């Protein structure tokens, strides 16, 4: 039940310029999101971002956006409804070799490959809306979902904590930033240990 960096991806949900000033403990939440993203880059864990209606709420904070491989602009609260799962899964494998020369009724339909990185580490805002719905959709897509509680926020503590209760009940693992980083490394002998230790101090 430990996170493995080789099986992980991270999704940063809606740390948007016009939303963050309203978030409870915003500076603390942002700092942990930045630690996660920087550590992920050191460990070659893919980092993805989402933005809710960016034409109205603005883009994600520039320092976080710069660490994402891609950022998904969305209109649904849950990012899977706007295509996130397609980014997290490898492409569908087409039959190779002689299989293509068989008559169509004898060919097997192309099957999606199993996710090569099925552990999705999720953090973001607001915890009880976009983060919650994205995480629940990912669980429904049969990903393993790890919600980083100290990098998530809502406008109120009550809404944030209600989201965590619901996510735990649905099967998501609730973790903290430091849990993620130390599980990804597993040992103080990891080559990235000093770089990640510097992010925590």
């Amino acid at each position: 039940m430990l996170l493995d960096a080789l099986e992980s991806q991270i999704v940063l949900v809606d740390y948007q310029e016009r939303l963050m000033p309203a978030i409870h403990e915003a500076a603390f939440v942002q700092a942990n999101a930045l630690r996660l993203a920087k550590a992920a880059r050191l460990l070659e864990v893919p980092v993805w971002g989402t933005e809710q209606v960016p034409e109205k709420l603005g883009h994600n904070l520039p320092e976080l956006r710069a660490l994402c491989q891609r950022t998904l602009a969305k209109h649904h609260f849950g990012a899977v409804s706007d295509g996130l799962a397609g980014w997290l899964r490898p492409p569908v494998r087409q039959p190779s070799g002689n299989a293509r020369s068989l008559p169509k009724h004898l060919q097997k339909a192309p099957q999606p490959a199993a996710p090569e990185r099925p552990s999705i580490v999720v953090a973001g805002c607001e915890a009880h809306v976009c983060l919650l719905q994205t995480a629940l959709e990912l669980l429904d897509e049969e990903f393993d979902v790890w919600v980083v509680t100290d990098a998530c926020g809502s406008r109120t503590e009550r809404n944030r904590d209600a989201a965590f209760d619901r996510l735990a009940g649905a099967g998501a693992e609730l973790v903290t930033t430091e849990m993620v980083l130390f599980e990804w490394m597993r040992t103080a002998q990891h080559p990235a240990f000093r770089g990640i230790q510097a992010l925590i101090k």
Side-chain angles (χ1 to χ4, degrees), residues 55-73:
E55 61 272 20
K56 292 185 179 176
L57 293 174
H59 291 294
N60 283 344
L61 301 167
E63 61 269 34
L64 279 175
R65 201 171 204 273
L67 293 167
C68 294
Q69 291 179 222
R70 289 174 71 186
T71 298
L72 176 71

Side-chain angles (χ1 to χ4, degrees), residues 113-133:
E116 291 177 3
R117 290 179 174 264
S119 296
I120 312 301
V121 176
V122 188
C125 302
E126 284 194 70
H128 66 294
V129 184
C130 293
L131 175 105
L132 173 79
Q133 292 189 33

